[in-house]
């Protein structure tokens, strides 16, 4: 028979393992995306306003956003939110896919109009995530807010790239 302490330790280990997977998977997908598809020489050579972020800041902040979304999704998963509300999982997966698609569309392909549409769709998915996550776990909903701010900055940068 397992003691109560052993059961709690086993449960804690599973929790740490699932947290590591929930954060590492979107983070590693984003990192692979950045390394393989994320940039071209076009962004560095275009004359941009002084307030444009350097490429490394864009990439770092995309990684930070994926970290926060992974952590937020884990908090929702722990509460059973993905099982009880399948729409929540769909919104999270849409946000993840759109965030992975935006970088190569804008910086590799140079399709800034399509990138703007993707960015706006990503913003919509983030709004949906924020609302659904907040119902399940208020902390998870709050963790999405910096990602919403980041999506707004990306939309502004993308809009400026459209008109350059």
């Amino acid at each position: 028979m397992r003691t109560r302490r052993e059961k709690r330790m086993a449960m804690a280990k599973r929790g740490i393992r699932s947290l590591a997977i929930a954060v590492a998977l979107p983070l590693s997908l984003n990192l692979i995306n950045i390394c393989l598809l994320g940039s071209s020489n076009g962004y560095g050579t275009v004359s941009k306003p002084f307030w444009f972020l350097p490429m490394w800041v864009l990439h770092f902040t995309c990684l930070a956003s994926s970290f926060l979304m992974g952590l937020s999704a884990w908090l929702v998963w722990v509460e059973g939110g993905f099982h009880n509300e399948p729409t929540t999982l769909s919104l999270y997966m849409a946000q993840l896919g759109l965030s992975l698609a935006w970088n190569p569309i804008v910086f590799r392909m140079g399709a800034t109009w399509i990138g703007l549409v993707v960015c706006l769709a990503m913003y919509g998915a983030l709004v949906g995530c924020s609302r659904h996550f907040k119902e399940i776990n208020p902390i998870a909903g709050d963790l999405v807010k910096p990602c919403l701010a980041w999506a707004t900055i990306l939309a502004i940068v993308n809009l400026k790239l459209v008109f350059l």
Side-chain angles (χ1 to χ4, degrees):
M1 259 296 149
R2 284 183 150 181
T3 67
R4 185 174 175 194
R5 179 170 161 56
E6 288 173 340
K7 287 180 184 178
R8 289 173 62 196
M9 288 298 289
M11 190 178 207
K13 285 181 184 178
R14 281 194 313 263
I16 297 286
R17 195 175 314 132
S18 66
L19 174 61
I21 291 169
V23 170
L25 187 64
L27 200 58
S28 61
L29 286 173
N30 218 323
L31 190 58
I32 290 168
N33 188 27
I34 288 169
C35 290
L36 297 180
L37 305 169
S39 62
S40 71
N41 295 332
Y43 183 78
T45 58
V46 173
S47 67
K48 302 177 291 282
F50 72 93
W51 53 268
F52 253 47
L53 301 170
M55 186 64 85
W56 70 269
V57 173
L58 285 170
H59 289 321
F60 178 77
T61 315
C62 284
L63 289 172
S65 179
S66 75
F67 171 81
L68 287 175
M69 284 304 296
L71 179 59
S72 181
W74 179 78
L75 289 170
V76 169
W77 175 77
V78 165
E79 299 286 335
F82 290 143
H83 300 293
N84 297 335
E85 287 189 46
T87 306
T88 308
L89 180 60
S90 300
L91 285 168
Y92 173 68
M93 295 306 286
Q95 176 276 326
L96 180 62
L98 290 166
S99 69
L100 290 171
W102 182 82
N103 208 354
I105 287 172
V106 172
F107 295 125
R108 178 63 81 181
M109 295 171 29
T112 54
W113 277 107
I114 296 170
L116 186 59
V117 171
V118 168
C119 192
L120 294 175
M122 179 175 53
Y123 188 83
L126 281 167
V127 168
C129 282
S130 177
R131 289 181 179 169
H132 283 260
F133 285 12
K134 193 170 203 77
E135 291 174 5
I136 297 164
N137 185 324
I139 295 171
D142 289 342
L143 286 173
V144 177
K145 289 178 182 175
C147 302
L148 280 166
W150 175 240
T152 303
I153 292 169
L154 281 182
I156 292 168
V157 167
N158 200 149
L159 188 62
K160 187 63 179 170
L161 284 172
V162 165
F163 294 113
L164 283 180

